[in-house]
Amino acid sequence: MSRIGKQPVKFAGGTNVSVSGNTLTVEASGNKLTQDIDACITVEVEDGQAVFTRRDDSKRSRAMHGLYRSLAANMVEGLEKGFGKTLDIVGVGYNAKVQGKELVLNIGFNAPKKMPVPAGLTVETPQPTQIVIKGFDKQLVGQFAAEVRAIRKPEPYKGKGIRYSDEFVRRKVGKSLGA
């Protein structure tokens, strides 16, 4: 039995979890997330928790068991608490700002890079060198943070670029002059 899959997903009273057919729906505070569930997994919602079971013991069913339980747990946690990622910008003259529904990055290119902020996310810049991405969909928050980071990844010699706030960049020693 899957260690993760057999644990029930618990949710608070203000959160509504329902299953219709193969679609799991989680609603809380006016927001709604849906997830299609594979036919080999069944979901039962009762007494403030959702229980995931698999119909047979095939390899695919065992793999999907823990996956869908984790996806549902992330949906509930996102709607109840929310998710966030913080990015730091390192480099002389590098900065970011939010203009309307766009994130504008000045990171050493000849023109600023503009990225539209996806619906369901809020982007803040408390400091010119810090970007805070918040939302209730864990996948969407992580994907947008990765796209922002990919514009200028941190380089190993000077450490310039965009990095996660908890990321450690291994620095390399440059060329040494003389023998």
Side-chain angles (χ1 to χ4, degrees), residues 28-73:
S29 64
N31 296 318
K32 178 179 171 182
L33 290 174
T34 60
Q35 175 69 46
D36 290 333
I37 303 290
D38 196 278
C40 63
I41 304 297
T42 59
V43 183
E44 297 171 4
V45 179
E46 55 190 30
D47 299 332
Q49 63 183 13
V51 179
F52 291 78
T53 56
R54 55 181 185 242
R55 295 191 178 160
D56 55 15
D57 210 28
S58 67
K59 186 174 184 177
R60 178 172 170 73
S61 295
R62 291 191 313 247
M64 296 294 123
H65 192 195
L67 170 74
Y68 285 115
R69 188 263 172 211
S70 294
L71 290 175

Side-chain angles (χ1 to χ4, degrees), residues 5-177:
K6 68 182 176 182
Q7 298 173 359
V9 176
K10 296 177 180 165
F11 51 91
T15 305
N16 183 21
V17 178
S18 61
V19 180
S20 63
N22 285 345
T23 304
L24 177 70
T25 305
V26 181
E27 295 179 72
S29 64
N31 296 318
K32 178 179 171 182
L33 290 174
T34 60
Q35 175 69 46
D36 290 333
I37 303 290
D38 196 278
C40 63
I41 304 297
T42 59
V43 183
E44 297 171 4
V45 179
E46 55 190 30
D47 299 332
Q49 63 183 13
V51 179
F52 291 78
T53 56
R54 55 181 185 242
R55 295 191 178 160
D56 55 15
D57 210 28
S58 67
K59 186 174 184 177
R60 178 172 170 73
S61 295
R62 291 191 313 247
M64 296 294 123
H65 192 195
L67 170 74
Y68 285 115
R69 188 263 172 211
S70 294
L71 290 175
N74 288 337
M75 290 166 60
V76 169
E77 182 181 350
L79 289 173
E80 289 179 354
K81 299 177 189 169
F83 291 105
K85 292 254 185 202
T86 304
L87 298 168
D88 292 333
I89 302 173
V90 178
V92 176
Y94 288 11
N95 61 38
K97 60 187 167 201
V98 177
Q99 291 179 341
K101 295 196 179 265
E102 283 188 331
L103 176 65
V104 180
L105 300 166
N106 292 313
I107 47 176
F109 295 115
N110 63 348
K113 295 287 182 177
K114 296 181 179 179
M115 297 188 68
V117 177
L121 291 183
T122 59
V123 178
E124 303 168 353
T125 52
Q127 300 171 358
T129 59
Q130 189 176 36
I131 303 167
V132 178
I133 302 168
K134 294 179 184 175
F136 53 85
D137 188 354
K138 186 175 187 177
Q139 192 274 332
L140 191 61
V141 170
Q143 181 67 37
F144 187 68
E147 289 172 2
V148 170
R149 183 184 178 275
I151 291 176
R152 175 79 74 178
K153 291 182 181 175
E155 55 96 12
Y157 294 103
K158 292 185 180 178
K160 293 170 32 172
I162 302 173
R163 64 178 80 170
Y164 297 110
S165 62
D166 57 351
E167 180 179 6
F168 175 75
V169 177
R170 177 181 276 165
R171 301 287 297 271
K172 290 184 177 179
V173 178
K175 292 181 180 179
S176 58
L177 297 174

